[in-house]
Amino acid sequence: MRETEILENADRLAARAVEVFVETANLAIATTDKFTVALSGGSTPKHLYRKLSVTKLPWARVQFYFGDERLVPPDHPESNFRMAEETLFEPLGIDRSQIHRWRTELNDPEQIAEDYRKELDQLGIAPSFDLVLLGIGEDCHTASLFPNTDALNEETRSAVANWVPKLGQHRVTVTFPVINRSACVLVLASGNSKAAAVRQVLKGSYEPARFPIQAVELKDGREVWLLDKEAASKL
Ligand code: 6PG
C-alpha cells in the first residue's frame, strides 16, 4: 500500500519525514528493542538528518546502515557516509558500533559489496530493515539502482557492485529483494527537477528497467512517499 503526501516545501517535508522516522523507530524498538535503518545519500536527506540530530529518540537502540555508496574514501565530500557523519552521527555522538558503512577503502567494488553482504547477514538469513530511506533521481534511479543496469535483476544477493555506464563508474548498492522485505520505505522527493520523474513513476507506464524505483513493491510493509509541492507539480 503506497501512501503519498504532499508538503508545502522542503522544510515541511523534512519535518514530516522526522515524524515517520520516529514513529517507525518507536514501533520497532517497542517490539524488538532495536531499530535498523538504511540511510540514503544525495542532497535531499540532509535536512532530515539535521532535524533528526536534535530529535529525542533512544538513539543507542538504532543501528545505521547505508542503502548505497559512491566509490570514494569515507572522508570524501561525495561520500554518503561522510554526509551522515557530519549531519547526524557526530552531532548525536553515535557509537561506532552502531554504524555499518560500506568499506570503500577496500578499493575493489566486488570486494566492498561482498564485505557489506556479510555485514547484512547479521540481520538474518534474508536481511531486511525496519526502515529504508530512499531518494529518487531525475532518471528514476533509487539507491544506486540505475536504469538498465545489472543490479536491477539481482534476485539473491543482498548487496552488489553496480556498473553505471552513464556515470562511467561503479556504485555499490543494496538490492530490491532487501528493500522489498523492509517494514517501511520512506521516499523523499523535493524540488522541480524531480517533478517529471515523480509523475512517470506514480502515473506513467510500469517499466521498472527504465524507471527503477517502480520496482519498490513491499511484500508486507508501509511505503510512504513524501513530496514537496514542486516535486508534485506535474501530478
Ligand atoms: C545517492 C543516492 C541516490 C539519491 C538520488 C537523489 O547516493 O546519490 O542514494 O539514490 O537518493 O540520486 O539524490 P538527491 O537527493 O541529491 O537529488
Side-chain angles (χ1 to χ4, degrees), residues 141-192:
H141 79 263
T142 195
S144 281
L145 297 155
F146 284 81
N148 300 308
T149 54
D150 289 347
L152 302 187
N153 304 317
E154 183 61 44
E155 288 177 3
T156 48
R157 291 176 300 168
S158 56
V160 296
N162 195 22
W163 174 250
V164 185
K166 70 187 269 190
L167 300 178
Q169 56 180 239
H170 277 97
R171 290 281 189 96
V172 281
T173 185
V174 300
T175 56
F176 281 118
V178 176
I179 293 173
N180 287 336
R181 276 195 299 264
S182 54
C184 182
V185 159
L186 177 57
V187 181
L188 304 182
S190 167
N192 279 316

Side-chain angles (χ1 to χ4, degrees), residues 1-207:
M1 231 327 240
R2 184 186 289 148
E3 305 164 36
T4 309
E5 290 181 43
I6 300 170
L7 290 309
E8 191 56 37
N9 53 39
D11 188 61
R12 293 307 307 151
L13 180 139
R16 179 69 187 120
V18 168
E19 289 176 4
V20 176
F21 189 104
V22 168
E23 210 177 291
T24 313
N26 282 332
L27 184 66
I29 293 166
T31 338
T32 62
D33 209 32
K34 66 170 183 155
F35 173 57
T36 56
V37 57
L39 301 178
S40 57
S43 55
T44 315
K46 263 189 207 166
H47 306 290
L48 165 63
Y49 299 166
R50 290 211 179 93
K51 283 192 194 293
L52 281 173
S53 74
V54 291
T55 297
K56 222 170 127 37
L57 205 73
W59 288 109
R61 299 265 170 271
V62 183
Q63 296 291 325
F64 296 93
Y65 294 78
F66 289 84
D68 73 322
E69 188 55 278
R70 293 105 186 263
L71 272 262
V72 293
D75 58 352
H76 191 278
E78 281 175 27
S79 160
N80 288 341
F81 163 73
R82 177 175 162 174
M83 193 272 276
E85 173 85 336
E86 290 176 350
T87 56
L88 190 62
F89 304 150
E90 271 175 9
L92 283 169
I94 299 294
D95 192 86
R96 298 289 100 180
S97 64
Q98 295 170 249
I99 303 169
H100 308 269
R101 66 170 179 82
W102 300 84
R103 298 180 60 78
T104 49
E105 61 275 28
L106 296 175
N107 263 324
D108 169 355
E110 295 299 337
Q111 197 58 54
I112 297 164
E114 191 185 324
D115 180 84
Y116 212 62
R117 287 198 291 275
K118 287 188 189 133
E119 193 78 36
L120 295 177
D121 281 347
Q122 292 165 15
L123 295 172
I125 298 172
S128 68
F129 295 103
D130 295 312
L131 177 66
V132 177
L133 295 176
L134 293 175
I136 173 171
E138 289 169 37
D139 60 357
C140 300
H141 79 263
T142 195
S144 281
L145 297 155
F146 284 81
N148 300 308
T149 54
D150 289 347
L152 302 187
N153 304 317
E154 183 61 44
E155 288 177 3
T156 48
R157 291 176 300 168
S158 56
V160 296
N162 195 22
W163 174 250
V164 185
K166 70 187 269 190
L167 300 178
Q169 56 180 239
H170 277 97
R171 290 281 189 96
V172 281
T173 185
V174 300
T175 56
F176 281 118
V178 176
I179 293 173
N180 287 336
R181 276 195 299 264
S182 54
C184 182
V185 159
L186 177 57
V187 181
L188 304 182
S190 167
N192 279 316
S193 65
K194 301 295 170 69
V198 165
R199 182 184 165 75
Q200 175 57 54
V201 173
L202 299 183
K203 302 274 188 214
S205 55
Y206 181 75
E207 296 175 74

